[in-house]
Amino acid sequence: MTLATANPLSTHTSANPAVTASAAVAVIAAATLAGAWFFQLALEILPCPLCLEQRYAYYLAVPLGVLMAFVAAKGAPRPLLLAGLAVLALAALANAGLGAYHAGVEWGFWQGPTDCTGPVGNLGSAGTLLQRLDTVKVIRCDEVQWRFLGLSLAGYNVLISLLMTAIAAWGFARTARA
């Protein structure tokens, strides 16, 4: 008995670039989100507004990547696969652009958005205003909280997003040729 006989989907799935690319993008996106939540919850490196916006592409890529891998394995029509892979590639590419913008704000190349001044919320009565202001923790987009090998988390987001873009584009190109 061969592996293909034991698992008939194995040869179909391994030869299907749409399955491979979609699943890889979903796994990378899920791992990246897990890392972001680890930094936030375990290491208490709180995200700024731009950091939170950069997560949106990953929140899209995980379910869409899983869905695309599933329907590709079931033999979905090529136009559907191409559309899904194009959405994955474009979302990751846009996220790389957002990450590059954020990294530029951190390096002082340009001004960041005004909402990176932190949450103000309800400050209560005038009598407790100063006390409440002391408890507000401002997470600024232009201050790096963590670097590794000279790159901030925004810089790593650029690299990860470009990798996801390349994988989705590879799957798109291979699926289009098949």
Side-chain angles (χ1 to χ4, degrees), residues 6-167:
N7 184 1
L9 281 179
S10 68
T11 56
H12 178 67
T13 303
S14 64
N16 189 334
V19 172
T20 304
S22 298
V25 167
V27 168
I28 292 168
T32 303
L33 283 172
W37 283 100
F38 175 78
F39 274 92
Q40 181 177 342
L41 299 174
L43 302 180
E44 296 183 4
I45 297 175
L46 300 177
C48 72
L50 279 176
C51 295
L52 293 173
E53 287 180 31
Q54 290 171 73
R55 293 182 187 181
Y56 296 160
Y58 297 107
Y59 291 136
L60 170 70
V62 172
L64 181 58
V66 169
L67 177 65
M68 291 306 302
F70 178 76
V71 298
K74 296 293 184 184
R78 186 179 314 184
L80 176 67
L81 299 177
L82 293 174
L85 288 166
V87 169
L88 287 172
L90 291 173
L93 185 60
N95 202 43
L98 182 59
Y101 169 72
H102 187 188
V105 169
E106 292 174 341
W107 285 100
F109 295 152
W110 42 75
Q111 187 70 32
T114 57
D115 67 339
C116 285
T117 57
V120 175
N122 180 10
L123 296 177
S125 67
T128 62
L129 179 62
L130 289 176
Q131 179 185 7
R132 302 269 327 219
L133 283 174
D134 285 338
T135 64
V136 173
K137 180 164 172 66
V138 176
I139 308 301
R140 298 181 48 105
C141 295
D142 58 355
E143 293 179 1
V144 177
Q145 297 183 59
W146 183 87
R147 283 191 199 273
F148 180 69
L149 299 176
L151 285 179
S152 67
L153 291 173
Y156 283 105
N157 176 53
V158 172
L159 298 176
I160 294 166
S161 294
L162 288 175
L163 173 65
M164 289 173 31
T165 301
I167 292 169

